[in-house]
């Protein structure tokens, strides 16, 4: 485990893009050859799915577990591990895990989260715990009176202490904090990160961009600033923090419609964001994206995966979504009566070979001879 103040493999190397790609390719080959799975602080990119359920029915709070919301089963973790996924993003609700602000964590929720951590560990996966609250608690906006930055710090410090397994647990501070101004969220996130490090947390921390965290609007002025300006200087004493972005394929980028924009539409926005991350020594994680099962949409899905496949800039990605409760939801990749969904044919190409940055016709090219692994 990397000690405070030293360089950490969960952050990008500053030796340059070409040499870092070579390092990642070699390590990925070793991992695949040995059959071992990467974990949260490992060298290999983190690529997986959102196993949703604990955030369902947000109008029923706290709600009744396994009636209004659920947690993933052991088979859910196993299926995606068999496909090659080494990351599970698990959405939870603040109001369920902490029934009163600054109070003890709910024992039933904590028990289910611990089971999820154990299942991820057993399958060689990193569990990214995602506080799926949009910057509010019971409708009270973070920073506007009743709910403060101190309250957010409190719940995360408690969770970090209870889930003190940085090799298998990562902390996602807040999903899509659109209820706050971007600058206010950036400060809140930085303060929460510092508080976690002061407590001694060594976890990988994932910080969502402001608003809906969209790649498409990272450089657009919203609520007085841009995500690019607000997060360029994000600092972590351990260099174990990545910025989370989301991107859906449809016109308007909401993820609620079944149309999809053509593959080339996404080139400029992803390339610009990647350059920004390099220039500002930040690393990125595509925490939500999804595709309808139609052939033309799968082409756009593949393009997005290409564009977020450089491990020197992109720590990884998590497809939205999977989980048995999704039923026939048009973005789901949860197996249908044991059968793979069409989207899995694309995802599995990238799950299977972490070093593959140039998939052609469903196949990865052979690595250069000087990177071959015995």
């Amino acid at each position: 485990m990397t000690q405070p103040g030293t360089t950490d493999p969960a952050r990008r190397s500053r030796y340059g893009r070409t040499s870092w790609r070579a390092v990642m390719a070699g390590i990925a080959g070793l991992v695949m050859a040995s059959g071992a799975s990467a974990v949260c602080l490992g060298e290999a990119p983190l690529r997986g799915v959102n196993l949703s359920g604990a955030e369902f029915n947000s109008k029923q709070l706290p709600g009744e577990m396994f009636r209004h919301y659920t947690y993933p089963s052991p088979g859910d973790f196993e299926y995606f591990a068999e496909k090659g996924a080494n990351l599970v993003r698990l959405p939870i609700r603040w109001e369920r895990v902490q029934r009163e602000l600054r109070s003890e964590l709910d024992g039933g929720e904590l028990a289910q989260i611990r089971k999820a951590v154990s299942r991820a560990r057993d399958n060689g996966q990193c569990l990214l715990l995602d506080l799926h609250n949009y910057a509010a608690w019971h409708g009270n906006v973070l920073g506007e009176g009743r709910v403060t930055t101190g309250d957010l710090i409190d719940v995360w410090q408690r969770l970090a202490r209870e889930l003190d397994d940085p090799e298998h647990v990562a902390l996602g501070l807040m999903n899509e904090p659109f209820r706050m101004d971007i600058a206010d969220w950036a400060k809140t996130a930085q303060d929460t990160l510092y508080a976690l490090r002061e407590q001694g947390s060594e976890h990988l921390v994932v910080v969502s961009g402001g608003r809906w965290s969209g790649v498409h609007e990272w450089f657009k002025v919203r609520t007085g600033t841009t995500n690019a300006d607000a997060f360029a200087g994000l600092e972590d004493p351990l260099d174990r923090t990545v910025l989370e972005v989301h991107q859906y394929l449809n016109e308007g980028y909401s993820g609620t419609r079944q149309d999809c924009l053509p593959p080339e539409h996404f080139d400029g926005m992803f390339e610009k964001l990647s350059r920004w991350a390099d220039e500002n020594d930040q690393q990125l994680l595509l925490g939500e994206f999804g595709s309808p099962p139609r052939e033309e949409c799968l082409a756009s899905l593949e393009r997005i995966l290409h564009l977020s496949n450089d491990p020197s800039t992109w720590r990884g990605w998590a497809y939205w979504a999977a989980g048995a409760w999704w039923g026939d939801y048009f973005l789901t990749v949860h197996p249908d009566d044991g059968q793979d969904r069409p989207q899995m044919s694309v995802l599995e190409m990238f799950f299977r070979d972490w070093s593959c940055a140039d998939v052609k016709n469903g196949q990865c090219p052979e690595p250069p001879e000087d990177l071959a692994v015995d």
Side-chain angles (χ1 to χ4, degrees):
M1 183 177 298
T2 304
Q3 297 302 313
T6 63
T7 302
D8 187 85
R11 291 277 291 167
R12 67 185 296 268
S13 168
R14 303 310 298 167
Y15 297 123
R17 184 179 300 273
T18 302
S19 61
W20 182 248
R21 271 184 173 166
V23 171
M24 291 303 296
I27 290 169
L30 283 168
V31 170
M32 296 302 289
S34 67
S37 296
V39 291
C40 303
L41 302 180
E43 297 278 5
L46 297 170
R47 294 174 181 168
V49 297
N50 287 263
L51 275 180
S52 299
E55 85 288 11
F56 270 54
N57 288 317
S58 60
K59 294 183 179 179
Q60 297 283 344
L61 294 173
E64 184 180 338
M65 191 186 299
F66 303 121
R67 178 186 175 195
H68 297 119
Y69 62 100
T70 191
Y71 280 87
S73 71
D76 296 341
F77 289 87
E78 292 164 4
Y79 169 80
F80 288 102
E82 289 172 358
K83 292 297 182 183
N86 66 340
L87 174 66
V88 168
R89 183 175 183 254
L90 177 65
I92 62 170
R93 289 292 302 202
W94 187 353
E95 300 91 342
R96 289 170 177 154
V97 74
Q98 191 179 49
R99 304 300 170 92
E100 297 293 335
L101 295 174
R102 305 206 188 199
S103 68
E104 295 296 322
L105 301 180
D106 181 81
E109 300 297 318
L110 193 56
Q112 291 299 322
I113 293 170
R114 284 176 170 153
K115 285 182 181 180
V117 172
S118 178
R119 291 162 184 169
R121 184 188 302 115
D122 289 346
N123 286 282
Q125 295 162 326
C126 172
L127 187 85
L128 169 55
L129 197 63
D130 160 50
L131 203 62
H132 212 79
N133 272 75
Y134 309 98
W137 183 86
H138 278 297
N140 298 281
V141 178
L142 182 59
E144 292 189 2
R146 183 182 177 191
V147 186
T148 67
T149 298
D151 296 322
L152 183 67
I153 290 172
D154 177 80
V155 70
W156 275 118
Q157 287 184 326
R158 292 175 188 271
L159 284 165
R161 284 195 298 268
E162 295 289 345
L163 306 171
D164 189 18
D165 183 3
E167 291 287 342
H168 299 95
V169 178
L171 312 179
L173 298 188
M174 183 65 65
N175 178 72
E176 296 181 348
F178 74 94
R179 296 175 181 270
M180 297 180 70
D181 289 352
I182 291 174
D184 292 341
W185 166 242
K187 184 179 186 308
T188 294
Q190 182 69 82
D191 290 347
T192 304
L193 175 59
Y194 280 150
L196 283 167
R197 297 306 185 219
E198 288 170 4
Q199 177 182 266
S201 167
E202 297 183 344
H203 299 78
L204 178 71
V205 175
V206 178
V207 175
S208 171
R211 284 172 48 85
W212 303 100
S213 317
V215 175
H216 63 276
E217 65 171 20
W218 196 258
F219 298 91
K220 294 180 180 179
V221 176
R222 297 285 188 267
T223 65
T225 189
T226 68
N227 275 317
D229 288 337
F231 289 98
L234 185 72
E235 295 180 344
D236 178 1
L238 295 189
D239 280 346
R240 291 184 181 179
T241 296
V242 298
L243 288 166
E244 180 179 326
V245 296
H246 295 175
Q247 190 59 53
Y248 288 95
L249 304 182
N250 65 286
E251 185 78 40
Y253 313 115
S254 65
T256 60
R257 292 168 32 186
Q258 298 196 41
D259 62 294
C260 50
L261 294 160
E264 61 273 14
H265 177 85
F266 300 95
D267 291 358
M269 67 175 74
F270 273 82
E271 290 165 0
K272 185 176 182 180
L273 179 58
S274 294
R275 286 196 302 272
W276 173 88
D278 285 346
E279 292 165 359
N280 291 282
D281 196 19
Q282 301 294 342
Q283 201 172 38
L284 306 168
L285 183 137
L286 186 60
E288 288 186 21
F289 63 102
S291 170
R294 298 197 311 276
E295 184 175 354
E296 63 271 25
C297 295
L298 297 183
S300 296
L301 173 63
E302 184 172 342
R303 179 65 65 87
I304 280 182
L305 290 171
H306 280 303
L307 293 166
S308 57
N309 202 44
D310 181 352
S312 68
T313 302
W314 291 88
R315 185 70 185 92
W317 44 259
Y319 181 93
W320 183 275
W325 277 32
W326 280 116
D328 291 328
Y329 173 50
F330 68 96
L331 296 180
T332 187
V333 287
H334 205 77
D336 181 15
D337 195 23
Q339 299 299 309
D340 291 351
R341 302 280 182 167
Q343 299 95 321
M344 185 55 70
S345 65
V346 177
L347 294 174
E348 195 169 4
M349 292 190 298
F350 293 83
F351 286 150
R352 286 299 179 188
D353 189 338
W354 294 319
S355 65
C356 182
D358 298 296
V359 177
K360 302 293 185 183
N361 300 317
Q363 299 295 322
C364 293
E366 291 295 322
E369 288 186 6
D370 61 344
L371 289 180
V373 178
D374 295 329

